Structure formats: C-alpha cells, structure tokens
Amino acid sequence: MATHSFGSDNHSGVHPAVLAALAAANEGHAPAYGADAVTARAIGLVRDHLGGGAEVAFVFNGTGANLVGLALALRPWQHVVCTATAHIAVDECGGPERLLGTKLVELRTPDGKLTPDLVRASTSGVGDEHRTQPGAVSITQSTELGTVYTPAEIRALAGTAHELGMVLHLDGARLANGAASLGVPLAAVTTDCGVDVLSFGGTKNGLLGAEAVVVLRSELAPGLAYARKQLGQLGSKGRFLAAQFAALLEGDLWLQNAGNANAMARRLEAGVRALPGADVAWPVQANAVFVRLPAEMARAAETFGAYPPDEVTGLVRLMCSWDTAEADVDALLAALAAAREPASLRAAGGPTGSALQEV
Ligand SMILES: Cc1ncc(COP(=O)(O)O)c(C=O)c1O
C-alpha cells in the first residue's frame, strides 16, 4: 500500500501548525466547557471571517455539527430537503432521523446541487396537517460529488428557502475547499448569501478533529448551547478544539490547505484525462476527482487507498488532501498507467461518455 492515500481527505494527518497550537494550549490549566481564553479568541476569529453576529460552537465531528445545526432549524413536524447524495442522507447512519426525529426529503440531482426549482417542486402539502412541513433546506459546499455552488446559486436557494418559511442549512465539511475554488472569502458563500446555520469543517482541512456550528440567523442562536450539550458535542476541554480553529483562521492556513488540495485534484484530473481508458466523470471543481477506470486501474488506485468503484455508478472517487504533493499525484498516475493493459480495457468495454452522471 502506498503511504499517501487518495481514499479520503480524512486519511491525511494533522497540519504541524495545528499540532503546535495544541501543544501551546496544553500549557497550564484553563476553565472548562469553552469558558477559556483560547475559545474566546477562536470565536473572535470565526467572527472575523463570517461576521460579528455569528454565534459559534465548536464540536467534535461533522455528523454532530449537522445534528446541532439542524436541531436549531426544525420543529418536530418539519422535514429537511436535501440531495439524495447528501452526507446527512447517506453517511450519518440515520442520525438526523433518529436523534432529531426528522424526515429527510431526498432529491435526485445530476451534480449534487439543489436548485430553487427542485426545492419548490418538493414542497407539496403545505398547511396539510397530515403531511410533514418544510423546515430546512440543507446543501453541502463543496458537495459530496466535488462540485461547488456559486454565491449566486446559494443566494437563490436562500431566497427560495426563506420565501417558503424554511431555514437554509449548509454542511460545510469542505467549506474551505469551496471558497478556495471560487477564490472568495468564506463569508461570500455563507453570510453574504443568506445561509442561516452551517457546519464549518476543520478536520478535512488539516485539523485533528474539530468542526464548528455557526449560527448566522440570530433567532436560531438561543438554542445553540443546549443542542450541542444534548447531542453529546460539548467538550469539557474545549480549548483543544478552539486552538485548532485559531491556528486555521488567524492567518491563511485554511486557504493554503484547501488551495493545495484543490490544486492537486486539478493536477490529478489533467493526468487522468491523458490516460487512455480512464474517463473523468465531470470537471474537477474542488478536491475530488470522480473517474471511471478499467478494472486493473481501479485495483491500482486501491493500492493508493481508494475505495472500490461505487456499486451503483461504477465511479472511483479520488480525494486530494491539504498535504498531497505533486509527487504523490504523479506516483498514482504512474501506477494507473502501468496497470493499463489492452485486455483490461476490452473487459471494461472502453471509455464511456464524459457527461455529468446521475448518481
Ligand atoms: C459532506 C460531509 N459532511 C459531513 C462530514 C462529517 O463527517 P464526520 O462525522 O465523519 O466528521 C463529512 C465527512 O466525510 C462529509 O463528507
């Protein structure tokens, strides 16, 4: 197995500056549960990026961040509209359904992105006491398919959600990758677009394990502390979560890390496009490359940590990370090229179309 993995952006380690910040936070004693100076500083830094009105709660993981954010958005009879590929729908073990008691209305999309028309079309039965009522629209930036919403697209979704009396929730496990891809500040795809509550991801961007729930709509903020505690996401030694965010946000580490991951994905995309038999499924926008590979190439990718091809789509997902180096990308490309044999190409039926696939 190659040491650098393309299986997930969670396979990378922790950025040295983050480890140094953790060591610094480890000096002496400090009040627990976020009542410490490091937490106050980190909240200030999040506000510097997302606006002075942001309410911030640091949490341990992305599933927990989504639960806390959505808990604030929903009444017990309301549902969440999301894509069928959303992490909340596919990869959270039914957490929102069980722990929030909500229903997810999962919409099929070609590119992992909701649109105002899709959201509008999903809202039937409004005012009918027999039906769940629309409570929140949840979008992911960058998406589970590696695509990126533009600020205009998010603004339009916020407008639609608000018109329908819904909250716009954003799963920003890869928020930094989305903003870096667009070349805009973090606020340009959140605060400035009318997002009401978001999960601000840190782990995939070089942290040890820290995310933040950020509430941008003041009416939702009063429940934040209670929801975090009730959902098991309040850390007693909170300074160690906060110190990581401070390291990410006090300079431009968030941008450097996300920018590198995105740049390496583009390098990988270019290399894969040059490999006969490999077919990039759609253009790379953030740090994920989705590709259809002949069987031998897919097996070669697995020796670089990639998961086997998706059971339904046949696509292999290759993820780049904050620490992916050009040499890592080139080593993977060389292995894919070496794995290619005419017989394997015949077995795989050759390249398929390069249009955006529905998954
Ligand atoms: C889109 C998205 N949301 C949220 C998460 C957070 O997951 P976790 O609970 O593993 O931190 C992930 C991680 O894979 C993700 O890809």
Side-chain angles (χ1 to χ4, degrees):
M1 174 75 81
T3 53
H4 190 92
S5 171
F6 289 83
S8 167
D9 38 3
N10 282 332
H11 289 188
S12 52
V14 182
H15 192 281
V18 176
L19 285 178
L22 282 167
N26 199 36
E27 292 296 323
H29 287 206
Y33 300 113
D36 61 280
V38 181
T39 300
R41 185 160 62 87
I43 289 174
L45 286 163
V46 174
R47 288 184 177 146
D48 288 347
H49 284 270
L50 297 181
E55 288 298 331
V56 183
F58 298 109
V59 297
F60 297 110
N61 57 50
T63 299
N66 286 338
L67 284 169
V68 172
L70 288 171
L72 303 177
L74 296 169
R75 306 298 303 273
W77 51 87
Q78 292 182 322
H79 64 248
V80 180
V81 176
C82 61
T83 67
T85 46
H87 199 267
I88 58 170
V90 180
D91 283 316
E92 299 188 356
C93 196
E97 291 94 329
R98 175 164 161 75
L99 298 171
L100 305 180
T102 193
K103 174 188 173 82
L104 300 182
V105 175
E106 301 171 22
L107 306 181
R108 288 171 67 81
T109 67
D111 54 2
K113 288 158 71 170
L114 290 179
T115 63
D117 285 348
L118 282 170
V119 171
R120 243 181 250 289
S122 77
T123 50
S124 61
V126 174
D128 179 347
E129 67 185 334
H130 301 277
R131 307 277 190 89
T132 56
Q133 297 296 303
V137 175
S138 181
I139 60 173
T140 306
Q141 177 80 320
S142 53
T143 74
E144 291 78 2
L145 302 189
T147 51
V148 172
Y149 285 94
T150 64
E153 288 170 332
I154 299 175
R155 202 172 294 115
L157 278 163
T160 304
H162 297 158
E163 214 176 281
L164 296 168
M166 302 168 83
V167 165
L168 182 62
H169 169 262
L170 186 144
D171 176 349
R174 299 186 183 87
L175 179 65
N177 299 92
S181 159
L182 295 160
V184 299
L186 294 164
V189 283
T190 52
T191 321
D192 299 350
C193 297
V195 171
D196 297 305
V197 55
L198 69 131
S199 301
F200 182 178
T203 309
K204 294 176 200 299
N205 201 21
L207 303 192
L208 173 60
E211 316 279 309
V213 181
V214 183
V215 180
L216 298 169
R217 180 157 153 188
S218 57
E219 308 97 89
L220 303 180
L224 178 59
Y226 307 111
R228 175 175 64 170
K229 177 64 184 180
Q230 197 171 58
L231 291 163
Q233 290 285 325
L234 174 61
S236 54
K237 294 192 177 177
R239 70 186 190 273
F240 294 104
L241 297 174
Q244 298 179 58
F245 263 94
L248 204 60
L249 297 178
E250 61 203 345
D252 66 353
L253 189 61
W254 69 272
L255 182 58
Q256 280 177 39
N257 285 352
N260 179 72
N262 292 354
M264 290 305 104
R266 288 196 302 274
R267 182 182 183 89
L268 182 56
E269 176 190 25
V272 169
R273 283 191 190 281
L275 290 175
D279 185 27
V280 174
W282 48 80
V284 166
Q285 294 182 9
N287 63 326
V289 184
F290 284 82
V291 60
R292 200 176 306 279
L293 294 173
E296 282 80 1
M297 279 198 202
R299 277 197 291 277
E302 283 176 46
T303 68
F304 282 74
Y307 294 107
D310 182 85
E311 288 168 12
V312 178
T313 64
L315 295 175
V316 174
R317 186 188 77 157
L318 300 171
M319 298 300 293
C320 293
S321 220
W322 66 268
D323 66 341
T324 304
E326 290 184 355
D328 300 320
V329 172
D330 296 348
L332 170 60
L333 288 169
L336 294 178
R340 181 181 169 262
E341 288 166 14
S344 69
L345 283 175
R346 276 199 300 280
T352 55
S354 63
L356 219 54
Q357 309 287 322
E358 183 159 11
V359 293

